[in-house]
Every structure is written in structure tokens, then in C-alpha cells.
Amino acid sequence: MVLVVAVIALVLVFAIACGLLLFPSYGERLRSWVSDWQARGAERRLRARTQRMSREAERQQAPLSDVREDLGGMFDTLRRLRWVIGGALLLVLLPSLAILVARRTVVLDDFRGQDLAESTSMVAQLLRGERLAPPPPPPPEVFTTEEIRRTRPEVVTADRRWDSIDAGLQQRVLAIFEVMRRQHGYEMVLVEGYRSPERQAELMAGGQATRAGAWQSCHQYGLAIDAAPIRDGKLQWDMGDAWTRQGYMLYGELAAQAGLEWGGSWRSIKDYVHVELASACRSARAAKRAELARG
């Protein structure tokens, strides 16, 4: 079968060759047709390549034109709605501006002339009411355990008399203690209040609990106290314990509400047990410096 097909193909090729030799004009026509066919093919390929390049260029330019169109549309919308947007901003900002303009400070009743910003916090509400009384002290052995003697010996001999503390500071601290107990379940204990200048100098010389010398600490003026939470009859100091750390953080937040400075917010040294009436203490220190300078 293959041989037959090959013979037929050979005869056709021989016949075409003989025809082209006998009739040369047909050969010219065939060559012209082949040339035209090749030229049309080349033209089609060139046109297809040109169209493909044009489409690629349009795709590259399309994102930029889309962005320009979007920005233009956005600016047109903003221009059309400028009065509406301006009115909305005014409505949003007006209450805040009114609060800033109308804000004022008040003096809390029975608070020794110390001003606090008007507040609805529980600390402020307690301070506006009746004067608070100090709680009964814990058993003396709370401050004399073996652990305290070993790690914080200065606590053993500290002065814990409430009547040695400035009356205004005393009320603020008692309000903090009350909120800690009522709202958060923490029982706070006064660890140290007034500290004599001699004791202050001794603690500084021994490198214990302070870097301040005599008359430099607010404790000397009754304007600072140290306090700690108590749990299971033991004072809690370990900031690695979650319950203790949360207690001191709450203590610091409430101290700020009461207008006190908290030692846990200091940069150079953290004193989580310490709060003080900073402004009154600065005035007391300045007066003491003047007194000492006069001799």
C-alpha cells in the first residue's frame, strides 16, 4: 500500500514538472502566488505583533489612568460635599471644645485646701464625704517576721502612727485604702509614715530603701507614706507575683486619682509602696533649706 502511494506521488511530481517545462507561464504564476502568499503571511504576523505590543502598552498605562481618574473623582466629591464635611467636623469637635472651655477645678470639702480636678471617681466621692478614720493596725508580728528581718529590716522599726502624717495626705491614703478594699478586694497596710531626719540619714548611709538624705525625703514632713497589700497575714512585696503586681498597679492608679505622686512611676528608681503629696513636699523642702541657710 505504501509503495502504491509513493508511486502515485512520484508520478504527480513528474507530471507537474513536465507541465512547468512545457508551459513556462504557469510556472511564473505559481511563483507569483507563492510570493504573494508569503508576503500576506509576513504582513499578518507583523500586524499581530503590533497589536500585541499595543495591548501591552495599554495595560501598563491603564493603572495610572485609573488612579488619576479615582483621585479626580474623589477630589470632585470632596469639593461638592465640603460644607457637609465641615459641618460634621464642627459637630464632632464642638462638645470637646465646650468641655475644655467650661472646665474648672473645685476644692473638695474637708480637704485642707488641696485642690483636685472635678471627678466622679470613688476616691473623690469618699473625700467629699465625712472624714475617714484609720483602720485598726494589724498585729505587730506582721512587721517582725523572719523574712522581713532578713530582707527589709528597716520595716521593723518604722513609724506607723497615723497621727504623724499630714491630715490631707492621711485622708487621701485612707480613701485609696477604702477603694482598694471595697472594689478590688485588696487589704492595704501602712508600713511607714513619718520618718525622722536622723532615721533618714541612717537609712541612706546604710543603703537601705532610700537615696535621699536628711530633710530631702517627704517622709520627714509627714507628706509621704509607704503601704503594702497584706494577704494571709503577710505583707506582699514580690512584683513577680501577678496578684501583688496588680495590687500595686491599682494603688498607683488610685494615687493619681487622689492627686498623689506614686513611686512606681519614677524613672530612676521604682518605689511601688511609696506615695507623696509632691507639691506640698516641694514647698516644705524649700522652706527647710531657707531655714538651714539662715542657721
Side-chain angles (χ1 to χ4, degrees):
M1 182 66 181
V2 176
L3 182 60
V4 174
V5 172
V7 170
I8 293 173
L10 184 61
V11 172
L12 289 174
V13 170
F14 181 74
I16 291 172
C18 291
L20 293 175
L21 291 174
L22 293 174
F23 305 99
S25 59
Y26 288 110
E28 291 296 332
R29 291 179 183 177
L30 180 60
R31 283 194 294 272
S32 177
W33 180 82
V34 171
S35 298
D36 290 344
W37 180 77
Q38 290 177 340
R40 286 194 298 273
E43 183 178 355
R44 283 195 301 272
R45 288 192 295 273
L46 178 61
R47 188 165 53 250
R49 187 164 59 250
T50 303
Q51 291 175 353
R52 188 165 58 252
M53 293 174 64
S54 298
R55 285 194 297 270
E56 291 177 357
E58 289 175 359
R59 281 197 298 270
Q60 292 176 357
Q61 294 177 357
L64 294 177
S65 61
D66 291 344
V67 170
R68 285 194 292 268
E69 290 177 3
D70 292 342
L71 289 175
M74 183 178 68
F75 288 133
D76 290 341
T77 303
L78 291 175
R79 279 195 296 271
R80 288 196 306 272
L81 300 177
R82 60 184 181 276
W83 296 111
V84 175
I85 295 173
L89 288 174
L90 183 62
L91 289 175
V92 171
L93 296 176
L94 191 59
S96 300
L97 293 174
I99 291 172
L100 289 175
V101 171
R103 186 180 178 184
R104 61 190 180 88
T105 58
V106 297
V107 178
L108 299 178
D109 295 336
D110 282 329
F111 210 61
R112 301 292 181 178
Q114 297 292 336
D115 291 350
L116 288 177
E118 186 174 21
S119 173
T120 58
S121 69
M122 189 172 180
V123 170
Q125 292 175 23
L126 287 169
L127 293 172
R128 293 190 187 101
E130 297 180 1
R131 296 193 66 80
L132 301 171
E141 53 268 23
V142 168
F143 306 98
T144 58
T145 64
E146 182 180 349
E147 179 185 1
I148 288 179
R149 290 181 182 277
R150 184 179 67 256
T151 61
R152 296 175 179 264
E154 70 278 2
V155 170
V156 177
T157 56
D159 188 332
R160 284 178 280 275
R161 294 174 298 167
W162 282 97
D163 56 5
S164 299
I165 301 170
D166 174 84
L169 174 62
Q170 182 184 131
Q171 287 299 295
R172 295 180 192 225
V173 171
L174 290 174
I176 292 171
F177 282 14
E178 192 70 11
V179 175
M180 291 283 288
R181 183 179 62 81
R182 288 190 197 176
Q183 290 192 342
H184 305 291
Y186 284 87
E187 198 72 37
M188 299 295 292
V189 172
L190 175 64
V191 175
E192 184 168 18
Y194 172 76
R195 186 183 296 162
S196 69
E198 293 77 18
R199 174 177 167 80
Q200 185 71 34
E202 181 183 346
L203 292 177
M204 181 184 176
Q208 295 176 315
T210 184
R211 295 179 182 177
W215 299 116
Q216 294 177 352
S217 170
C218 297
H219 284 281
Q220 270 88 86
Y221 309 98
L223 294 169
I225 70 104
D226 294 341
I230 186 170
R231 180 173 59 176
D232 299 329
K234 294 182 179 180
L235 298 177
Q236 303 298 309
W237 320 99
D238 182 12
M239 293 299 287
D241 176 68
W243 182 89
T244 303
R245 183 173 184 81
Q246 182 184 17
Y248 279 113
M249 295 302 108
L250 290 169
Y251 180 52
E253 291 176 9
L254 294 172
Q257 290 181 20
L260 301 178
E261 184 172 305
W262 176 48
S265 64
W266 293 345
R267 293 183 180 180
S268 58
I269 183 173
K270 301 291 186 182
D271 193 356
Y272 297 104
V273 301
H274 181 95
V275 294
E276 63 184 42
L277 264 174
S279 59
C281 182
R282 283 192 293 269
S283 300
R285 275 199 297 253
K288 176 54 70 172
R289 283 196 300 268
E291 179 187 337
L292 294 174
R294 290 192 300 268

